[in-house]
Amino acid sequence: MRLVIARCSVDYAGRLTAHLPSAPRLILVKADGSVSIHADDRAYKPLNWMSPPCTLKEGTGEEAGVWTVVNKAGEKLIITMEEVLHDSSHELGVDPGLIKDGVEAHLQELLADRIETLGEGYTLIRREYMTAIGPVDILCRDADGQTVAVEIKRRGEIDGVEQLTRYLELLNRDPHLAPVRGIFAAQEIKPQARVLATDRGIGCQVLDYDALRGIEDDKLRLF
C-alpha cells in the first residue's frame, strides 16, 4: 500500500463531473489497483475513489505532479499535486480477513444446512467461497438460478454492507457467476445498514438463531 499526504485538488470525469478544491488530503493506492482520496473529518468513507481494475499514470515534464487514474469504463480521476508532504509504501501481505465469533460461525453452518430459509428453491453452492479479498460466507443460487452471495453477521451494521459490496464487485467480474446479487443476513440489522443495503440493491434477511437450531418458540400461541 502506498500512502501519500499532499495538498492537492481532484477532478472526476465520467457519468458526471465532480471537483475537490485544493486541500491537504490522504491518498491511498492499494495493491489491487484502487485509488482513494480521504479527508480527516470522516471515519472511513473516501471523498472520491476509483475501484479496480484501473490504471494510474503519474505525469512527467510539464505534467509532473498530475496523477491520472482511468478505469475500464474510461472514467478518470485526475489528482493535481501542489505539495507532497509524505510518500511511503508498505507491504501488508495477504490479509486473513475477519474471524467470525462462535455465533456467526454457527449461523453460517446452520443457514447452509437450511438454505431454504432464504426462500423456496434456493440451493447451496458452497460455504466460505474464496475470493481474492477473502471468503464469502455462503454462495448459493435462487429458484431462478441466479447466483447469490450471503454475508452473515450477528449484528448487521454498515461495515458489513460495505464488505458484501466489495465481494459483489469482485464476483460480478466472473462470467461463470455473474450476475450476482447479495443478501445481508444477521440476527439484528441496524436501520442505517438496511438503508445502505437497500440503496445498493442488496437484500436483508433477519435470522432467528433458535429457529435455525430447531428450537421451538416457548411463547404462548393462540393457534
Side-chain angles (χ1 to χ4, degrees):
M1 178 183 292
R2 184 178 178 186
L3 308 176
V4 178
I5 299 175
R7 178 173 291 279
C8 63
S9 59
V10 183
D11 292 279
Y12 167 79
R15 290 166 292 181
L16 46 81
T17 59
H19 174 71
L20 294 174
S22 176
R25 297 190 177 94
L26 168 65
I27 303 166
L28 298 182
V29 183
K30 295 187 178 180
D32 63 3
S34 63
V35 178
S36 56
I37 296 96
H38 298 259
D40 203 17
D41 63 347
R42 55 187 65 199
Y44 62 89
K45 188 176 181 180
L47 295 165
N48 214 326
W49 68 94
M50 193 70 81
S51 300
C54 57
T55 58
L56 167 61
K57 180 181 178 181
E58 297 186 41
T60 58
E62 293 184 357
E63 295 295 317
V66 177
W67 290 14
T68 304
V69 188
V70 184
N71 67 11
K72 63 180 181 180
E75 298 169 313
K76 292 183 179 180
L77 197 63
I78 301 170
I79 307 169
T80 303
M81 308 284 190
E82 298 172 12
E83 180 184 9
V84 176
L85 306 173
H86 176 85
D87 189 345
S88 63
S89 297
H90 308 270
E91 180 57 55
L92 302 185
V94 178
D95 190 274
L98 293 173
I99 298 175
K100 293 188 174 293
D101 66 22
V103 173
E104 288 183 2
H106 199 203
L107 280 170
Q108 182 192 111
E109 180 182 351
L110 290 169
L111 186 58
D113 287 341
R114 297 165 177 79
I115 198 67
E116 67 279 359
T117 301
L118 298 176
E120 185 177 351
Y122 274 71
T123 56
L124 179 69
I125 297 176
R126 67 166 297 165
R127 289 171 53 197
E128 297 287 328
Y129 185 88
M130 187 55 65
T131 73
I133 58 174
V136 177
D137 287 336
I138 290 178
L139 199 67
C140 57
R141 287 193 176 90
D142 63 17
D144 297 323
Q146 183 177 359
T147 309
V148 181
V150 185
E151 179 63 27
I152 299 172
K153 299 292 183 187
R154 185 161 51 116
R155 185 170 64 179
E157 301 190 61
I158 284 177
D159 58 351
V161 179
E162 295 285 2
Q163 184 180 359
L164 179 53
T165 299
R166 292 192 294 271
Y167 287 143
L168 290 171
E169 287 180 355
L170 194 64
L171 292 169
N172 272 299
R173 295 180 204 151
D174 186 338
H176 300 293
L177 297 175
V180 185
R181 64 182 180 88
I183 293 179
F184 188 50
Q187 287 180 278
E188 174 194 3
I189 299 177
K190 295 294 185 180
Q192 299 94 331
R194 187 180 291 275
V195 169
L196 181 61
T198 301
D199 182 67
R200 295 182 177 181
I202 294 172
C204 292
Q205 178 84 32
V206 176
L207 300 176
D208 186 325
Y209 188 41
D210 288 340
L212 286 171
R213 294 164 65 200
I215 298 175
E216 290 291 336
D217 190 344
D218 60 1
K219 295 179 182 177
L220 294 175
R221 299 176 184 271
L222 295 176
F223 52 85

